[in-house]
mmCIF file of all heavy atoms in Angstrom:
data_model
loop_
_atom_site.group_PDB
_atom_site.id
_atom_site.type_symbol
_atom_site.label_atom_id
_atom_site.label_comp_id
_atom_site.label_asym_id
_atom_site.label_seq_id
_atom_site.Cartn_x
_atom_site.Cartn_y
_atom_site.Cartn_z
ATOM 1 N N GLU A 1 2.236 36.462 -13.998
ATOM 2 C CA GLU A 1 2.934 37.049 -15.150
ATOM 3 C C GLU A 1 4.389 37.282 -14.789
ATOM 4 O O GLU A 1 4.754 38.355 -14.319
ATOM 5 C CB GLU A 1 2.239 38.336 -15.602
ATOM 6 C CG GLU A 1 0.743 38.283 -15.678
ATOM 7 C CD GLU A 1 0.202 37.309 -16.723
ATOM 8 O OE1 GLU A 1 0.983 36.574 -17.325
ATOM 9 O OE2 GLU A 1 -1.032 37.323 -16.986
ATOM 10 N N GLY A 2 5.167 36.190 -14.929
ATOM 11 C CA GLY A 2 6.589 36.312 -14.595
ATOM 12 C C GLY A 2 7.233 34.991 -14.826
ATOM 13 O O GLY A 2 6.858 34.205 -15.743
ATOM 14 N N TYR A 3 8.261 34.654 -14.033
ATOM 15 C CA TYR A 3 8.950 33.370 -14.270
ATOM 16 C C TYR A 3 9.558 32.825 -12.986
ATOM 17 O O TYR A 3 9.759 33.530 -12.018
ATOM 18 C CB TYR A 3 10.025 33.550 -15.284
ATOM 19 C CG TYR A 3 11.142 34.509 -14.941
ATOM 20 C CD1 TYR A 3 12.200 34.156 -14.109
ATOM 21 C CD2 TYR A 3 11.094 35.858 -15.337
ATOM 22 C CE1 TYR A 3 13.156 35.014 -13.711
ATOM 23 C CE2 TYR A 3 12.101 36.758 -14.979
ATOM 24 C CZ TYR A 3 13.122 36.328 -14.151
ATOM 25 O OH TYR A 3 14.104 37.215 -13.788
ATOM 26 N N GLU A 4 9.803 31.513 -13.007
ATOM 27 C CA GLU A 4 10.597 30.856 -11.957
ATOM 28 C C GLU A 4 12.042 30.712 -12.310
ATOM 29 O O GLU A 4 12.893 30.727 -11.443
ATOM 30 C CB GLU A 4 9.955 29.479 -11.671
ATOM 31 C CG GLU A 4 8.484 29.511 -11.235
ATOM 32 C CD GLU A 4 8.265 30.207 -9.937
ATOM 33 O OE1 GLU A 4 9.160 30.186 -9.041
ATOM 34 O OE2 GLU A 4 7.194 30.860 -9.747
ATOM 35 N N THR A 5 12.294 30.550 -13.599
ATOM 36 C CA THR A 5 13.723 30.502 -14.101
ATOM 37 C C THR A 5 13.741 31.043 -15.477
ATOM 38 O O THR A 5 12.827 30.858 -16.294
ATOM 39 C CB THR A 5 14.242 29.037 -14.048
ATOM 40 O OG1 THR A 5 15.550 28.987 -14.631
ATOM 41 C CG2 THR A 5 13.340 28.074 -14.758
ATOM 42 N N LEU A 6 14.837 31.705 -15.851
ATOM 43 C CA LEU A 6 15.013 32.222 -17.182
ATOM 44 C C LEU A 6 15.444 31.148 -18.172
ATOM 45 O O LEU A 6 15.507 31.415 -19.414
ATOM 46 C CB LEU A 6 16.045 33.353 -17.171
ATOM 47 C CG LEU A 6 15.499 34.677 -16.578
ATOM 48 C CD1 LEU A 6 16.642 35.678 -16.437
ATOM 49 C CD2 LEU A 6 14.408 35.305 -17.402
ATOM 50 N N LEU A 7 15.800 29.961 -17.653
ATOM 51 C CA LEU A 7 16.278 28.898 -18.553
ATOM 52 C C LEU A 7 15.228 28.450 -19.604
ATOM 53 O O LEU A 7 15.555 27.979 -20.649
ATOM 54 C CB LEU A 7 16.772 27.718 -17.742
ATOM 55 C CG LEU A 7 18.035 28.008 -16.869
ATOM 56 C CD1 LEU A 7 18.326 26.735 -16.030
ATOM 57 C CD2 LEU A 7 19.185 28.357 -17.740
ATOM 58 N N ASN A 8 13.971 28.610 -19.200
ATOM 59 C CA ASN A 8 12.894 28.217 -20.118
ATOM 60 C C ASN A 8 11.908 29.382 -20.383
ATOM 61 O O ASN A 8 10.741 29.139 -20.626
ATOM 62 C CB ASN A 8 12.127 26.969 -19.595
ATOM 63 C CG ASN A 8 11.470 27.276 -18.274
ATOM 64 O OD1 ASN A 8 11.605 28.344 -17.704
ATOM 65 N ND2 ASN A 8 10.742 26.272 -17.770
ATOM 66 N N THR A 9 12.425 30.594 -20.313
ATOM 67 C CA THR A 9 11.520 31.794 -20.452
ATOM 68 C C THR A 9 12.012 32.637 -21.602
ATOM 69 O O THR A 9 13.178 33.043 -21.682
ATOM 70 C CB THR A 9 11.542 32.608 -19.149
ATOM 71 O OG1 THR A 9 11.082 31.789 -18.045
ATOM 72 C CG2 THR A 9 10.675 33.832 -19.261
ATOM 73 N N ASP A 10 11.083 32.999 -22.459
ATOM 74 C CA ASP A 10 11.333 33.983 -23.512
ATOM 75 C C ASP A 10 10.704 35.297 -23.036
ATOM 76 O O ASP A 10 9.562 35.614 -23.290
ATOM 77 C CB ASP A 10 10.633 33.502 -24.841
ATOM 78 C CG ASP A 10 10.995 34.419 -26.017
ATOM 79 O OD1 ASP A 10 11.362 35.611 -25.792
ATOM 80 O OD2 ASP A 10 10.915 33.956 -27.142
ATOM 81 N N MET A 11 11.519 36.058 -22.311
ATOM 82 C CA MET A 11 10.994 37.289 -21.692
ATOM 83 C C MET A 11 10.441 38.256 -22.667
ATOM 84 O O MET A 11 9.323 38.875 -22.429
ATOM 85 C CB MET A 11 12.095 37.909 -20.827
ATOM 86 C CG MET A 11 11.639 39.162 -20.063
ATOM 87 S SD MET A 11 12.940 40.022 -19.162
ATOM 88 C CE MET A 11 13.382 38.814 -17.949
ATOM 89 N N ALA A 12 11.114 38.482 -23.749
ATOM 90 C CA ALA A 12 10.657 39.454 -24.755
ATOM 91 C C ALA A 12 9.274 39.087 -25.319
ATOM 92 O O ALA A 12 8.360 39.947 -25.378
ATOM 93 C CB ALA A 12 11.682 39.580 -25.873
ATOM 94 N N LEU A 13 9.101 37.833 -25.675
ATOM 95 C CA LEU A 13 7.824 37.370 -26.198
ATOM 96 C C LEU A 13 6.740 37.470 -25.169
ATOM 97 O O LEU A 13 5.620 37.949 -25.477
ATOM 98 C CB LEU A 13 7.950 35.958 -26.746
ATOM 99 C CG LEU A 13 6.669 35.298 -27.210
ATOM 100 C CD1 LEU A 13 6.133 36.081 -28.468
ATOM 101 C CD2 LEU A 13 6.862 33.874 -27.582
ATOM 102 N N GLU A 14 7.049 37.123 -23.949
ATOM 103 C CA GLU A 14 6.025 37.101 -22.878
ATOM 104 C C GLU A 14 5.551 38.566 -22.598
ATOM 105 O O GLU A 14 4.370 38.819 -22.451
ATOM 106 C CB GLU A 14 6.561 36.475 -21.617
ATOM 107 C CG GLU A 14 6.718 34.978 -21.779
ATOM 108 C CD GLU A 14 7.018 34.299 -20.428
ATOM 109 O OE1 GLU A 14 7.110 34.975 -19.394
ATOM 110 O OE2 GLU A 14 7.115 33.039 -20.417
ATOM 111 N N GLN A 15 6.470 39.495 -22.585
ATOM 112 C CA GLN A 15 6.096 40.871 -22.321
ATOM 113 C C GLN A 15 5.337 41.484 -23.491
ATOM 114 O O GLN A 15 4.399 42.280 -23.332
ATOM 115 C CB GLN A 15 7.296 41.684 -21.904
ATOM 116 C CG GLN A 15 7.895 41.280 -20.592
ATOM 117 C CD GLN A 15 8.847 42.303 -20.006
ATOM 118 O OE1 GLN A 15 9.189 43.304 -20.649
ATOM 119 N NE2 GLN A 15 9.303 42.048 -18.792
ATOM 120 N N ASP A 16 5.707 41.121 -24.730
ATOM 121 C CA ASP A 16 4.973 41.514 -25.900
ATOM 122 C C ASP A 16 3.542 41.079 -25.801
ATOM 123 O O ASP A 16 2.583 41.811 -26.067
ATOM 124 C CB ASP A 16 5.606 40.954 -27.196
ATOM 125 C CG ASP A 16 6.899 41.631 -27.563
ATOM 126 O OD1 ASP A 16 7.235 42.673 -26.998
ATOM 127 O OD2 ASP A 16 7.638 41.053 -28.458
ATOM 128 N N ASN A 17 3.361 39.811 -25.408
ATOM 129 C CA ASN A 17 1.965 39.274 -25.342
ATOM 130 C C ASN A 17 1.171 39.937 -24.236
ATOM 131 O O ASN A 17 -0.004 40.110 -24.374
ATOM 132 C CB ASN A 17 2.057 37.760 -25.155
ATOM 133 C CG ASN A 17 2.452 37.070 -26.420
ATOM 134 O OD1 ASN A 17 2.347 37.577 -27.539
ATOM 135 N ND2 ASN A 17 2.942 35.816 -26.275
ATOM 136 N N MET A 18 1.837 40.194 -23.083
ATOM 137 C CA MET A 18 1.136 40.838 -21.978
ATOM 138 C C MET A 18 0.665 42.195 -22.370
ATOM 139 O O MET A 18 -0.483 42.630 -22.109
ATOM 140 C CB MET A 18 2.021 40.911 -20.778
ATOM 141 C CG MET A 18 1.332 41.469 -19.515
ATOM 142 S SD MET A 18 2.252 41.169 -17.955
ATOM 143 C CE MET A 18 3.661 42.237 -18.194
ATOM 144 N N ALA A 19 1.496 42.941 -23.045
ATOM 145 C CA ALA A 19 1.090 44.287 -23.544
ATOM 146 C C ALA A 19 -0.031 44.198 -24.535
ATOM 147 O O ALA A 19 -0.964 45.034 -24.550
ATOM 148 C CB ALA A 19 2.304 45.004 -24.168
ATOM 149 N N ARG A 20 -0.017 43.152 -25.403
ATOM 150 C CA ARG A 20 -1.063 43.002 -26.389
ATOM 151 C C ARG A 20 -2.407 42.750 -25.689
ATOM 152 O O ARG A 20 -3.438 43.318 -26.090
ATOM 153 C CB ARG A 20 -0.706 41.832 -27.292
ATOM 154 C CG ARG A 20 -1.681 41.586 -28.425
ATOM 155 C CD ARG A 20 -1.159 40.499 -29.413
ATOM 156 N NE ARG A 20 0.017 40.877 -30.061
ATOM 157 C CZ ARG A 20 1.251 40.349 -29.882
ATOM 158 N NH1 ARG A 20 1.368 39.400 -28.946
ATOM 159 N NH2 ARG A 20 2.311 40.790 -30.490
ATOM 160 N N LEU A 21 -2.384 41.966 -24.660
ATOM 161 C CA LEU A 21 -3.586 41.686 -23.907
ATOM 162 C C LEU A 21 -4.144 42.940 -23.263
ATOM 163 O O LEU A 21 -5.370 43.187 -23.236
ATOM 164 C CB LEU A 21 -3.357 40.589 -22.848
ATOM 165 C CG LEU A 21 -4.493 40.139 -22.008
ATOM 166 C CD1 LEU A 21 -5.646 39.584 -22.846
ATOM 167 C CD2 LEU A 21 -4.074 39.142 -20.942
ATOM 168 N N MET A 22 -3.292 43.735 -22.702
ATOM 169 C CA MET A 22 -3.718 44.965 -22.006
ATOM 170 C C MET A 22 -4.274 45.977 -23.009
ATOM 171 O O MET A 22 -5.277 46.633 -22.743
ATOM 172 C CB MET A 22 -2.540 45.570 -21.217
ATOM 173 C CG MET A 22 -2.097 44.664 -20.073
ATOM 174 S SD MET A 22 -0.615 45.238 -19.242
ATOM 175 C CE MET A 22 -1.223 46.703 -18.454
ATOM 176 N N ARG A 23 -3.684 46.035 -24.178
ATOM 177 C CA ARG A 23 -4.210 46.975 -25.199
ATOM 178 C C ARG A 23 -5.555 46.495 -25.657
ATOM 179 O O ARG A 23 -6.496 47.345 -25.894
ATOM 180 C CB ARG A 23 -3.193 47.046 -26.376
ATOM 181 C CG ARG A 23 -3.682 47.756 -27.649
ATOM 182 C CD ARG A 23 -4.244 49.129 -27.331
ATOM 183 N NE ARG A 23 -3.251 49.999 -26.758
ATOM 184 C CZ ARG A 23 -3.553 51.134 -26.138
ATOM 185 N NH1 ARG A 23 -4.810 51.496 -25.946
ATOM 186 N NH2 ARG A 23 -2.577 51.872 -25.617
ATOM 187 N N LEU A 24 -5.721 45.213 -25.933
ATOM 188 C CA LEU A 24 -7.027 44.656 -26.272
ATOM 189 C C LEU A 24 -8.102 45.025 -25.242
ATOM 190 O O LEU A 24 -9.216 45.368 -25.566
ATOM 191 C CB LEU A 24 -6.924 43.155 -26.495
ATOM 192 C CG LEU A 24 -6.167 42.652 -27.675
ATOM 193 C CD1 LEU A 24 -5.939 41.123 -27.552
ATOM 194 C CD2 LEU A 24 -6.959 42.925 -28.972
ATOM 195 N N THR A 25 -7.701 44.892 -23.972
ATOM 196 C CA THR A 25 -8.637 45.127 -22.855
ATOM 197 C C THR A 25 -9.113 46.638 -22.882
ATOM 198 O O THR A 25 -10.310 46.925 -22.811
ATOM 199 C CB THR A 25 -8.037 44.806 -21.528
ATOM 200 O OG1 THR A 25 -7.636 43.403 -21.510
ATOM 201 C CG2 THR A 25 -9.031 45.039 -20.432
ATOM 202 N N VAL A 26 -8.143 47.519 -22.992
ATOM 203 C CA VAL A 26 -8.468 48.946 -22.970
ATOM 204 C C VAL A 26 -9.370 49.317 -24.133
ATOM 205 O O VAL A 26 -10.386 49.993 -23.963
ATOM 206 C CB VAL A 26 -7.182 49.798 -22.974
ATOM 207 C CG1 VAL A 26 -7.505 51.284 -23.166
ATOM 208 C CG2 VAL A 26 -6.423 49.625 -21.650
ATOM 209 N N ASP A 27 -8.982 48.872 -25.330
ATOM 210 C CA ASP A 27 -9.767 49.211 -26.511
ATOM 211 C C ASP A 27 -11.196 48.687 -26.405
ATOM 212 O O ASP A 27 -12.188 49.392 -26.754
ATOM 213 C CB ASP A 27 -9.092 48.681 -27.755
ATOM 214 C CG ASP A 27 -7.779 49.392 -28.069
ATOM 215 O OD1 ASP A 27 -7.531 50.468 -27.463
ATOM 216 O OD2 ASP A 27 -6.983 48.879 -28.880
ATOM 217 N N TYR A 28 -11.337 47.460 -25.954
ATOM 218 C CA TYR A 28 -12.654 46.860 -25.836
ATOM 219 C C TYR A 28 -13.508 47.554 -24.769
ATOM 220 O O TYR A 28 -14.690 47.866 -25.003
ATOM 221 C CB TYR A 28 -12.567 45.367 -25.568
ATOM 222 C CG TYR A 28 -13.979 44.753 -25.385
ATOM 223 C CD1 TYR A 28 -14.794 44.590 -26.511
ATOM 224 C CD2 TYR A 28 -14.436 44.371 -24.141
ATOM 225 C CE1 TYR A 28 -16.079 44.057 -26.348
ATOM 226 C CE2 TYR A 28 -15.707 43.837 -23.984
ATOM 227 C CZ TYR A 28 -16.516 43.673 -25.124
ATOM 228 O OH TYR A 28 -17.748 43.156 -24.935
ATOM 229 N N ALA A 29 -12.858 47.824 -23.664
ATOM 230 C CA ALA A 29 -13.592 48.494 -22.528
ATOM 231 C C ALA A 29 -14.181 49.815 -22.990
ATOM 232 O O ALA A 29 -15.334 50.139 -22.728
ATOM 233 C CB ALA A 29 -12.723 48.600 -21.306
ATOM 234 N N ARG A 30 -13.355 50.625 -23.610
ATOM 235 C CA ARG A 30 -13.816 51.932 -24.088
ATOM 236 C C ARG A 30 -14.913 51.786 -25.148
ATOM 237 O O ARG A 30 -15.866 52.582 -25.157
ATOM 238 C CB ARG A 30 -12.656 52.729 -24.665
ATOM 239 C CG ARG A 30 -11.557 53.067 -23.695
ATOM 240 C CD ARG A 30 -12.092 53.715 -22.380
ATOM 241 N NE ARG A 30 -10.971 54.165 -21.523
ATOM 242 C CZ ARG A 30 -11.089 54.381 -20.238
ATOM 243 N NH1 ARG A 30 -12.272 54.188 -19.615
ATOM 244 N NH2 ARG A 30 -10.074 54.749 -19.480
ATOM 245 N N SER A 31 -14.845 50.738 -25.949
ATOM 246 C CA SER A 31 -15.854 50.538 -27.021
ATOM 247 C C SER A 31 -17.231 50.207 -26.463
ATOM 248 O O SER A 31 -18.253 50.411 -27.117
ATOM 249 C CB SER A 31 -15.416 49.453 -27.960
ATOM 250 O OG SER A 31 -15.536 48.168 -27.409
ATOM 251 N N ILE A 32 -17.274 49.651 -25.226
ATOM 252 C CA ILE A 32 -18.600 49.291 -24.661
ATOM 253 C C ILE A 32 -19.042 50.360 -23.595
ATOM 254 O O ILE A 32 -20.022 50.112 -22.901
ATOM 255 C CB ILE A 32 -18.560 47.888 -24.025
ATOM 256 C CG1 ILE A 32 -17.580 47.848 -22.861
ATOM 257 C CG2 ILE A 32 -18.222 46.822 -25.081
ATOM 258 C CD1 ILE A 32 -17.695 46.512 -22.062
ATOM 259 N N GLY A 33 -18.365 51.437 -23.495
ATOM 260 C CA GLY A 33 -18.751 52.520 -22.632
ATOM 261 C C GLY A 33 -18.177 52.587 -21.243
ATOM 262 O O GLY A 33 -18.664 53.327 -20.447
ATOM 263 N N TYR A 34 -17.081 51.815 -20.993
ATOM 264 C CA TYR A 34 -16.457 51.867 -19.691
ATOM 265 C C TYR A 34 -15.713 53.196 -19.596
ATOM 266 O O TYR A 34 -14.872 53.536 -20.477
ATOM 267 C CB TYR A 34 -15.500 50.710 -19.519
ATOM 268 C CG TYR A 34 -14.675 50.814 -18.266
ATOM 269 C CD1 TYR A 34 -15.236 50.616 -17.031
ATOM 270 C CD2 TYR A 34 -13.296 51.146 -18.323
ATOM 271 C CE1 TYR A 34 -14.457 50.725 -15.825
ATOM 272 C CE2 TYR A 34 -12.558 51.268 -17.162
ATOM 273 C CZ TYR A 34 -13.163 51.015 -15.891
ATOM 274 O OH TYR A 34 -12.434 51.143 -14.769
ATOM 275 N N THR A 35 -15.978 54.004 -18.554
ATOM 276 C CA THR A 35 -15.368 55.300 -18.422
ATOM 277 C C THR A 35 -14.451 55.429 -17.191
ATOM 278 O O THR A 35 -13.930 56.455 -16.886
ATOM 279 C CB THR A 35 -16.472 56.409 -18.313
ATOM 280 O OG1 THR A 35 -17.288 56.057 -17.153
ATOM 281 C CG2 THR A 35 -17.309 56.438 -19.577
ATOM 282 N N GLY A 36 -14.283 54.310 -16.485
ATOM 283 C CA GLY A 36 -13.484 54.321 -15.259
ATOM 284 C C GLY A 36 -11.988 54.302 -15.587
ATOM 285 O O GLY A 36 -11.538 54.456 -16.708
ATOM 286 N N ASP A 37 -11.201 54.147 -14.529
ATOM 287 C CA ASP A 37 -9.767 54.139 -14.638
ATOM 288 C C ASP A 37 -9.211 52.747 -14.804
ATOM 289 O O ASP A 37 -9.878 51.731 -14.431
ATOM 290 C CB ASP A 37 -9.113 54.765 -13.400
ATOM 291 C CG ASP A 37 -9.469 56.228 -13.173
ATOM 292 O OD1 ASP A 37 -9.501 56.976 -14.228
ATOM 293 O OD2 ASP A 37 -9.739 56.640 -12.032
ATOM 294 N N PHE A 38 -7.991 52.657 -15.358
ATOM 295 C CA PHE A 38 -7.244 51.407 -15.421
ATOM 296 C C PHE A 38 -6.009 51.550 -14.526
ATOM 297 O O PHE A 38 -5.336 52.558 -14.603
ATOM 298 C CB PHE A 38 -6.816 51.071 -16.861
ATOM 299 C CG PHE A 38 -7.947 50.679 -17.754
ATOM 300 C CD1 PHE A 38 -8.497 51.575 -18.650
ATOM 301 C CD2 PHE A 38 -8.456 49.349 -17.716
ATOM 302 C CE1 PHE A 38 -9.506 51.209 -19.446
ATOM 303 C CE2 PHE A 38 -9.497 49.006 -18.513
ATOM 304 C CZ PHE A 38 -10.031 49.910 -19.394
ATOM 305 N N TYR A 39 -5.783 50.518 -13.717
ATOM 306 C CA TYR A 39 -4.628 50.543 -12.854
ATOM 307 C C TYR A 39 -3.834 49.266 -12.977
ATOM 308 O O TYR A 39 -4.363 48.163 -13.223
ATOM 309 C CB TYR A 39 -5.041 50.712 -11.414
ATOM 310 C CG TYR A 39 -5.752 52.007 -11.081
ATOM 311 C CD1 TYR A 39 -7.092 51.955 -10.737
ATOM 312 C CD2 TYR A 39 -5.112 53.212 -11.115
ATOM 313 C CE1 TYR A 39 -7.771 53.150 -10.450
ATOM 314 C CE2 TYR A 39 -5.758 54.366 -10.858
ATOM 315 C CZ TYR A 39 -7.105 54.337 -10.502
ATOM 316 O OH TYR A 39 -7.761 55.512 -10.195
ATOM 317 N N ILE A 40 -2.490 49.393 -12.775
ATOM 318 C CA ILE A 40 -1.610 48.269 -12.591
ATOM 319 C C ILE A 40 -1.144 48.350 -11.132
ATOM 320 O O ILE A 40 -0.682 49.412 -10.711
ATOM 321 C CB ILE A 40 -0.413 48.217 -13.586
ATOM 322 C CG1 ILE A 40 -0.896 48.060 -14.982
ATOM 323 C CG2 ILE A 40 0.490 47.069 -13.224
ATOM 324 C CD1 ILE A 40 0.215 48.032 -15.994
ATOM 325 N N GLU A 41 -1.160 47.230 -10.488
ATOM 326 C CA GLU A 41 -0.668 47.225 -9.098
ATOM 327 C C GLU A 41 0.611 46.442 -9.026
ATOM 328 O O GLU A 41 0.648 45.214 -9.140
ATOM 329 C CB GLU A 41 -1.763 46.536 -8.209
ATOM 330 C CG GLU A 41 -1.379 46.551 -6.704
ATOM 331 C CD GLU A 41 -2.535 46.034 -5.869
ATOM 332 O OE1 GLU A 41 -3.684 46.355 -6.163
ATOM 333 O OE2 GLU A 41 -2.226 45.305 -4.875
ATOM 334 N N PRO A 42 1.745 47.160 -8.880
ATOM 335 C CA PRO A 42 3.056 46.488 -8.858
ATOM 336 C C PRO A 42 3.175 45.572 -7.653
ATOM 337 O O PRO A 42 2.723 45.814 -6.569
ATOM 338 C CB PRO A 42 4.058 47.641 -8.703
ATOM 339 C CG PRO A 42 3.308 48.851 -9.180
ATOM 340 C CD PRO A 42 1.884 48.666 -8.787
#
């Protein structure tokens, strides 16, 4: 989840989509009873 060059990268769109995927994951996990933690590892 990043880039090699900004010449062919739409950073705003890519980060929007990454956030969308993470939100979908959290919402779905809670809906099926997952009670653990979510972490991002920089």
Side-chain angles (χ1 to χ4, degrees):
E1 315 295 9
Y3 62 83
E4 300 297 328
T5 174
L6 286 172
L7 294 175
N8 61 356
T9 301
D10 187 336
M11 183 185 293
L13 176 62
E14 290 191 358
Q15 294 195 353
D16 286 348
N17 287 339
M18 185 165 67
R20 185 175 294 111
L21 180 60
M22 294 173 70
R23 170 53 60 196
L24 287 169
T25 302
V26 171
D27 291 347
Y28 178 71
R30 297 307 185 201
S31 75
I32 64 171
Y34 174 72
T35 58
D37 296 320
F38 289 100
Y39 297 113
I40 296 182
E41 185 172 320

